[in-house]
Amino acid sequence: MTLPPEPQVSPHPTVITDPADLRAALRGHAVAFVPTMGALHEGHATLIRAARAAVPGGRVVVSVFVNPMQFGPNEDLSRYPRDLDGDRRVAGEAGADLLFHPDVPTMYPDGFSTSVSVSGVSEPLDGAARPGHFTGVATVVLKLLNLVRPDVALFGEKDWQQLAVVRRMVRDLNLPVDVRGVPTVREDSGLALSSRNAYLSADQRAQAAVLSRALRAVQAAYADGERRGAALRQAGLDVLTTAADLSLDYLSVVGSDMHEREIMDNDPMNRVLVAARMFGVRLIDNMPLAAHVAAGQSTVSPA
Ligand code: AMP
């Protein structure tokens, strides 16, 4: 006898907006948490699947909150892509149980006056290019960790410096959470997936793959034995000069503390990071200097 095919389940997670409802839904469960700003794509889905695997039988919570505190005055807060229905679908298919979607007054009530600033790792690179950005990130992540109280929280290596800032905060403030990094998910072209790629046409996305080619060129120079920071950096810059519409914020070769060195050692935490504006969109990417650093292996640190 042939059984009818299993119905395609697409379990849409429950959307919760009220922190008290969230606490009630999570009480007594192991919890894995993936904070996001929504417009979920395969990179987020990979984090959610890792969260699912981290707490079999527990609860996987995905937050969708476009955090005003981490945007500068001339940044894309108002036009940042929002798609809650799509987010429910992607999160559900990847194994999320709950989607926490608080509104801005819930997170930042009138008179809100506290901020968390992490010095050191948050200062160079995006910290210099986007003043106040990492204070906004650390503050909202701490708030979300306090609301969700997860056992495990997953962050993408795509935002390498953010991962370093979160790890440092969690360590410095003794937060009872296991922070795990997840390797960057890319298009076939090499372009790192990002919600902001939605601003680009297919042709522009193909051109934006130059960023990952520049990072790979730095990896190739490192593999050839180059250890001088400036020469490694130049290998990446040489690739970027081939791009038509690119304005560079930084291309930096750094250690786990996010600072450049004259000579790079063989620390697997050494990384090359790039940030550039292409077609009016600010894109970031990074890779380990040692291309053989296995997926997940580099997640022990940074910082
Ligand atoms: P966002 O919604 O951009 O704030 O990202 C939410 C989380 O997803 C962060 O921890 C990001 O680092 C992670 N993430 C975003 N893009 C990717 C990607 N392409 N691969 C892996 N993780 C990602």
Side-chain angles (χ1 to χ4, degrees):
M1 189 181 86
T2 325
L3 292 170
E6 288 280 316
Q8 248 343 92
V9 277
S10 173
H12 281 200
T14 310
V15 177
I16 294 185
T17 55
D18 181 343
D21 294 343
L22 180 72
R23 292 296 334 131
L26 297 179
R27 197 158 297 125
H29 294 281
V31 175
F33 177 43
V34 179
T36 82
M37 297 205 301
L40 300 186
H41 50 64
E42 187 53 30
H44 299 112
T46 303
L47 266 64
I48 297 167
R49 283 192 289 271
R52 181 71 279 162
V55 290
R59 294 283 182 267
V60 171
V61 180
V62 176
S63 63
V64 172
F65 181 64
V66 183
N67 174 34
M69 196 174 168
Q70 72 188 69
F71 286 78
N74 298 316
E75 294 185 353
D76 57 346
L77 172 63
S78 59
R79 73 166 184 143
Y80 196 84
R82 289 164 169 87
D83 175 15
L84 196 62
D85 287 338
D87 292 346
R88 280 187 83 193
R89 184 177 48 74
V90 174
E93 285 171 3
D97 300 301
L98 298 174
L99 211 142
F100 180 47
H101 182 53
D103 61 14
V104 171
T106 298
M107 294 297 281
Y108 298 109
D110 263 358
F112 186 88
S113 38
T114 303
S115 62
V116 181
S117 94
V118 178
S119 57
V121 289
S122 72
E123 284 162 19
L125 308 172
D126 260 26
R130 305 181 69 187
H133 170 66
F134 285 122
T135 294
V137 168
T139 304
V140 82
V141 169
L142 180 57
K143 285 174 66 67
L144 289 166
L145 291 174
N146 282 334
L147 289 166
V148 178
R149 301 184 211 167
D151 300 281
V152 182
L154 297 103
F155 294 83
E157 290 184 359
K158 158 79 174 16
D159 299 277
W160 182 251
Q161 193 178 9
Q162 168 175 284
L163 178 56
V165 169
V166 169
R167 282 192 190 284
R168 180 53 57 102
M169 175 183 74
V170 163
R171 197 199 70 174
D172 287 355
L173 300 182
N174 309 94
L175 303 181
V177 61
D178 174 8
V179 172
R180 297 189 193 166
V182 175
T184 302
V185 179
R186 300 175 179 282
E187 289 187 1
D188 289 344
S189 67
L191 178 66
L193 297 192
S194 161
S195 303
R196 289 190 169 96
N197 293 355
Y199 299 140
L200 302 174
S201 69
D203 177 59
Q204 290 170 335
R205 282 206 300 277
Q207 293 190 53
V210 71
L211 296 177
S212 64
R213 287 201 300 280
L215 300 178
R216 294 233 181 271
V218 176
Q219 286 185 325
Y222 183 83
D224 283 348
E226 182 60 75
R227 291 293 179 273
R228 292 167 301 168
L232 287 164
R233 179 168 182 272
Q234 191 58 48
L237 292 177
D238 288 348
V239 173
L240 293 182
T241 54
T242 66
D245 180 354
L246 185 147
S247 140
L248 186 67
D249 258 3
Y250 59 79
L251 185 142
S252 289
V253 175
V254 301
S256 62
D257 59 359
M258 304 298 133
H259 286 279
E260 293 182 340
R261 314 227 190 303
E262 237 167 80
I263 300 292
M264 303 308 294
D265 58 16
N266 295 323
D267 186 338
M269 288 308 114
N270 289 337
R271 208 88 182 174
V272 50
L273 294 88
V274 66
R277 188 166 287 276
M278 291 189 76
F279 313 106
V281 180
R282 190 171 187 278
L283 300 170
I284 60 171
D285 198 357
N286 70 87
M287 289 185 191
L289 280 191
H292 65 268
V293 170
Q297 195 179 313
S298 57
T299 60
V300 189
S301 272

